[in-house]
Amino acid sequence: MVTDVKRRFGGAEVLIHNAVGGGWGSFREIDPKMLKGNFEVNVMGLLYLAREVAPDMIDRGKGAILVTGNTSSIRGKANFAGFAPTKAAQRILAESIARDMGPLGVHVAYVLIDAVIDTPRMRARMGDKPDEFFIKPAAIADELYHLYGQDRSAWSFLTELRPFRENW
């Protein structure tokens, strides 16, 4: 896919890795295959995509790799054993990429989303929650755009987003 996009449009200026593999359960209950599958999506997907877009970004001396994650990347909770380890590994991989690519002019950032995203599916599942409970997809997009355009003298790596009423 990346090869086709590159052929049609040229090298990427920005990569947004927003893929998520998830699964819940305690460490005693989860199927190890599920954890492995989530690792493939959350970590290996980032690795493969970053490796595909990095050469063109390095050649140009600019670009951005923006990775979306969530609170599980910094905190393991009960019943998140099939998910949290892969998000933590994703964050650490993004940081390793950032430390490698930053000096080459490529901005890499991790956006930790500490919220339920306001989608029709989540609204249906959580219909009793007030509007302030959810984070708007457009607000996430605005922050990604902000990170993409950040001045090189003040690059962020870890950015946390949450609704103003989030109890954190």
Side-chain angles (χ1 to χ4, degrees):
M1 177 188 76
V2 174
T3 301
D4 184 52
V5 169
K6 182 177 175 178
R7 181 182 52 75
R8 293 172 63 198
F9 303 105
E13 291 183 29
V14 63
L15 166 67
I16 299 174
H17 186 266
N18 188 43
V20 61
W24 290 263
S26 78
F27 76 98
R28 292 169 290 149
E29 303 164 339
I30 63 168
D31 182 343
K33 291 177 185 172
M34 186 246 317
L35 179 61
K36 185 177 180 180
N38 292 338
F39 189 85
E40 290 290 327
V41 171
N42 296 329
V43 182
M44 298 307 293
L46 172 59
L47 176 68
Y48 291 133
L49 286 169
R51 289 171 77 165
E52 286 290 322
V53 302
D56 289 325
M57 292 179 179
I58 293 168
D59 287 347
R60 284 193 309 271
K62 65 179 185 174
I65 298 173
L66 308 175
V67 183
T68 63
N70 56 43
T71 312
S72 290
S73 69
I74 59 169
R75 178 182 66 201
K77 290 174 59 176
N79 294 316
F80 278 66
F83 181 63
T86 68
K87 296 309 275 184
Q90 178 192 58
R91 181 181 51 79
I92 292 299
L93 176 58
E95 185 173 348
S96 293
I97 296 168
R99 290 173 184 270
D100 185 22
M101 299 286 284
L104 302 174
V106 179
H107 184 192
V108 180
Y110 191 85
V111 180
L112 187 155
I113 302 168
D114 188 13
V116 175
I117 300 172
D118 193 356
T119 63
R121 187 182 98 184
M122 296 313 290
R123 284 284 185 160
R125 285 181 58 194
M126 301 179 163
D128 62 327
K129 300 291 185 186
D131 288 345
E132 295 84 12
F133 177 80
F134 298 93
I135 191 168
K136 296 175 184 168
I140 297 168
D142 287 346
E143 185 59 27
L144 290 167
Y145 187 74
H146 166 76
L147 289 166
Y148 170 68
Q150 264 186 330
D151 187 273
R152 287 178 173 216
S153 70
W155 274 351
S156 300
F157 171 70
L158 179 61
T159 299
E160 296 184 38
L161 303 178
R162 61 181 54 85
F164 75 101
R165 292 242 172 124
E166 174 70 18
N167 182 12
W168 64 286

